Amino acid sequence: MTASTIARDTAAADGNGAGKAPRVPRDRMPLWRKLVRDRLLWLFLVPGLAYFLIFHLGAAFGMVIAFTDYWPGITLAESNLVGVETFQKMFGDADFWHAVLNTVEISLLQLIFYFPVPLGLALLLHSLTSTTIKRLVQNVVYLPHFISWVIVVALFQQILGGAGVVNGFLADHGLHTVDIIGNPDAFKPLLIAQVIWKDSGWGTIIFLAALAQVDDTLYEASAMDGAGPWRRFWHVTLPSIRSVVVLLLVLRLGEVLSVGFEQLLLQRDAVGPAAGEIIDTYVYYKSLGGGGDFPLAAAAGIFKGVIGAILVYAANKVAHRLGEQGVYR
């Protein structure tokens, strides 16, 4: 150590001790100082926080009507408490259980056939070496996400409907026509195809962000050791993004009873309630759709929320057992 270095360190130590207050460690900083320091970041959270407080937490207080004989036009104070009578009525309704069964079936089909598609598409996009082609493909596959379900259903109707392009081609060539849109047996596969076409590109964003964090030297080292593409995927790529996959899977399980209200509502009448009724459409038709039974609709909403919370908690516990962080520790 030279004399100049010793002199500089001594002067710095004297200056810090004489004229400056010692810095407070980040972990010991008071909460109010952290709030002041990050005030701009908190300001950005205000719109999203207000949305959840008003339309989610605030709306949750309305669930109290499930325990009353509420009817539009009277106040909650004028309604009589009926306890769990509404829930007993709901659990005894065969249409409700049919809607639950349809919802679970569609959700499981989406989990099996849709969930892997964004991951596979992200892997393909990540493997592209040309930045121009990669951005072009990303823009193309992202675009359907911004199209409303009304337009998506109309497009499929024009292509696969009874008077659609496919049937028009078959009829012109003397072949047998098929009505896929109005066929209850083909309705669930049609729903999965619509979801894949519309949202698989948008679902690649999180996976691409996770893949961008994988160290390229790991691929180089595994290639030097003789690992082929499949082994590099199995031993490098998949372990690196496993935590993200588990997190998204846990969140997906929490939404197992939410399979797309607008998509189903637009096509329910074409195939009938037997194939197209889910919990969300059940709630709609029991309340705003003409049924007028708002307590029953609220009870179905509570049932859906409780089951979703239980599934998230259980899936998160399983993630912890597998050594992953999950949604929370």
Side-chain angles (χ1 to χ4, degrees):
M1 184 178 294
T2 62
S4 60
T5 303
I6 296 174
R8 185 174 64 252
D9 293 343
T10 303
D14 293 341
N16 290 337
K20 297 182 179 179
R23 296 185 60 184
V24 179
R26 288 180 176 268
D27 56 345
R28 296 183 181 180
M29 186 179 295
L31 178 60
W32 68 269
R33 290 190 62 180
K34 292 180 181 179
L35 295 176
V36 173
R37 181 195 62 191
D38 302 329
R39 57 187 178 278
L40 293 180
L41 296 177
W42 286 106
L43 187 61
F44 279 110
L45 287 176
V46 169
L49 187 61
Y51 166 78
F52 281 100
L53 288 177
I54 296 174
F55 295 102
H56 287 265
L57 184 59
F61 290 101
M63 293 296 179
V64 69
I65 67 175
F67 303 94
T68 67
D69 60 353
Y70 173 80
W71 186 260
I74 63 175
T75 64
L76 285 175
E78 298 171 338
S79 304
N80 299 318
L81 288 175
V82 296
V84 296
E85 181 180 330
T86 305
F87 290 89
Q88 294 174 349
K89 176 183 176 182
M90 180 186 70
F91 292 142
D93 187 1
D95 292 338
F96 170 74
W97 290 113
H98 182 74
V100 172
L101 182 62
N102 266 349
T103 304
V104 173
E105 184 178 351
I106 294 172
S107 183
L108 290 178
L109 289 174
Q110 289 183 355
L111 187 64
I112 296 172
F113 294 102
Y114 166 74
F115 186 80
V117 174
L119 176 58
L121 185 57
L123 292 171
L124 292 176
L125 290 173
H126 185 69
S127 65
L128 294 177
T129 56
S130 175
T131 305
T132 303
I133 297 178
K134 183 177 181 179
R135 289 178 178 176
L136 177 62
V137 175
Q138 282 180 305
N139 290 331
V140 172
V141 298
Y142 289 171
L143 183 61
H145 174 76
F146 300 98
I147 302 176
S148 69
W149 275 114
V150 176
I151 304 300
V152 172
V153 172
L155 286 174
F156 274 79
Q157 178 69 41
Q158 292 298 319
I159 296 174
L160 302 175
V165 175
V166 173
N167 278 331
F169 175 82
L170 294 175
D172 292 341
H173 291 78
L175 300 175
H176 178 67
T177 60
V178 292
D179 185 9
I180 299 177
I181 298 296
N183 186 358
D185 296 330
F187 182 62
K188 292 180 176 65
L190 176 67
L191 294 178
I192 307 305
Q194 292 173 347
V195 172
I196 291 176
W197 182 81
K198 185 177 187 297
D199 290 330
S200 59
W202 185 255
T204 62
I205 294 178
I206 297 179
F207 291 118
L208 285 173
L211 289 170
Q213 303 300 317
V214 182
D215 192 353
D216 292 335
T217 59
L218 297 176
Y219 292 111
E220 297 173 0
S222 59
M224 292 178 63
D225 290 339
W230 175 250
R231 285 189 174 274
R232 290 198 296 270
F233 166 75
W234 189 258
H235 295 289
V236 178
T237 304
L238 196 58
S240 300
I241 64 174
R242 185 176 60 182
S243 59
V244 175
V245 175
V246 171
L247 173 62
L248 294 178
L249 185 60
V250 170
L251 295 176
R252 180 61 191 166
L253 289 176
E255 297 180 349
V256 71
L257 298 183
S258 299
V259 292
F261 167 69
E262 186 177 356
Q263 179 191 13
L264 270 296
L265 182 65
L266 292 170
Q267 302 176 88
R268 174 184 177 274
D269 292 339
V271 295
E277 189 80 293
I278 59 173
I279 294 179
D280 289 336
T281 57
Y282 175 87
V283 170
Y284 172 77
Y285 282 103
K286 288 295 183 180
S287 55
L288 298 174
D293 196 342
F294 288 90
L296 181 63
I302 293 175
F303 172 83
K304 176 182 172 182
V306 170
I307 296 299
I310 293 174
L311 288 175
V312 168
Y313 179 79
N316 200 64
K317 286 295 183 182
V318 173
H320 292 169
R321 293 296 182 94
L322 296 176
E324 300 296 335
Q325 181 176 353
V327 179
Y328 58 88
R329 278 293 182 185

